[in-house]
Amino acid sequence: MSGFLFLSACLSLLSLIALVRSLAMMTYLNIHFAHEVDPFSRAVSYYVFYGDGREEFATSATVLALGTVLMLTGMWVQGIRLGGASTAFFGIWCASLTLCAIFPTDNSKSIVSTSGLIHQVAGASLFVSLPLAGLSLARRLATDDRWARTARVVRRMAMVAMGLAAAYLATRLPDIFPSLAIPGVLDGRGFSGLVQRALFGLEMLMLMALAVRLLRVVVSSARERREPARVEVAG
């Protein structure tokens, strides 16, 4: 295996480990603090106020950002060029995850601190940026036969994620704009946490789909390199 293939293999494996670790930690928070933080109506950000929630949440977000960077680096080594739009959106995603890890939200319905403001802006940015990054990247991957199928999967996931992001924003409108006269039947705060978790989970799966495909492409390339060598030895 050449140096570039070996590097790509290492990056893809490390990115998968990071993504799975992040998902496992977030799952732990959802289960361990189910009584303290209602998963149907409260955002994942509120885990930071209970037990070891702050450390686990910050680590999960940071590891997720690291896994994304490792995966994108592996794709770059394999010759995939993201383009300006994808690079910008993935950059916003990683930066927003890092900011959410550093600056906790306010333990209230309204923003009362600078940390809470930064967290809310970063949170809104990350949920929108990754679907846009996925759509932009999918257009580039669709031209590569090795990635065409994954491109279609990522595009579908990104479109569903955009819909969930819009739905989550709609459920948060009463908190963002308290003066709005929203009928009770349209008040979605009771299931806003569920929508957010579904969106976050889908975005993680999107990244995992790319990381798994990267590993398969590397393995396939390594096998193709071995075949001529075997034929030459046999001859």
Side-chain angles (χ1 to χ4, degrees):
M1 185 182 292
S2 71
F4 284 117
L5 281 177
F6 179 73
L7 177 59
S8 297
C10 291
L11 289 169
S12 62
L13 283 172
L14 288 173
S15 67
L16 274 172
I17 292 171
L19 294 172
V20 171
R21 173 74 183 279
S22 179
L23 180 60
M25 295 174 77
M26 195 59 68
T27 302
Y28 161 77
L29 290 173
N30 280 303
I31 296 174
H32 189 69
F33 297 110
H35 295 294
E36 290 83 0
V37 180
D38 180 13
F40 288 92
S41 61
R42 301 190 75 191
V44 296
S45 304
Y46 289 101
Y47 290 126
V48 302
F49 300 110
Y50 302 94
D52 61 347
R54 181 166 185 174
E55 179 182 348
E56 294 290 336
F57 176 83
T59 303
S60 177
T62 304
V63 169
L64 181 55
L66 177 61
T68 303
V69 172
L70 290 171
M71 179 201 68
L72 294 176
T73 304
M75 293 177 70
W76 183 85
V77 172
Q78 277 294 296
I80 301 296
R81 298 297 175 257
L82 301 182
S86 295
T87 300
F89 288 131
F90 275 117
I92 293 172
W93 159 260
C94 293
S96 297
L97 282 170
T98 304
L99 289 173
C100 284
I102 297 173
F103 299 97
T105 189
D106 294 310
N107 194 14
S108 64
K109 292 184 177 180
S110 59
I111 299 173
V112 298
S113 69
T114 301
S115 176
L117 177 61
I118 294 173
H119 186 95
Q120 292 297 327
V121 173
S125 299
L126 71 88
F127 285 129
V128 175
S129 59
L130 189 63
L132 292 175
L135 288 173
S136 180
L137 179 60
R139 285 195 292 270
R140 286 182 168 267
L141 295 180
T143 62
D144 189 326
D145 291 339
R146 300 174 303 170
W147 289 86
R149 183 175 179 180
T150 302
R152 291 192 294 271
V153 173
V154 169
R155 183 184 298 110
R156 290 168 187 156
M157 285 184 172
M159 292 178 68
V160 174
M162 287 295 292
L164 286 173
Y168 180 61
L169 175 61
T171 63
R172 293 297 309 280
L173 284 177
D175 291 333
I176 299 173
F177 303 105
S179 61
L180 286 179
I182 298 179
V185 69
L186 298 179
D187 189 341
R189 285 177 291 184
F191 55 87
S192 61
L194 185 61
V195 175
Q196 186 204 44
R197 284 165 177 77
L199 172 58
F200 203 38
L202 181 60
E203 291 182 332
M204 283 183 151
L205 289 177
M206 187 192 309
L207 294 172
M208 286 182 183
L210 289 168
V212 168
R213 185 55 192 165
L214 172 61
L215 182 59
R216 288 181 174 176
V217 168
V218 172
V219 172
S220 178
S221 297
R223 287 175 177 171
E224 290 173 2
R225 284 176 176 267
R226 288 198 187 104
E227 286 304 321
R230 288 177 180 174
V231 172
E232 190 174 321
V233 171

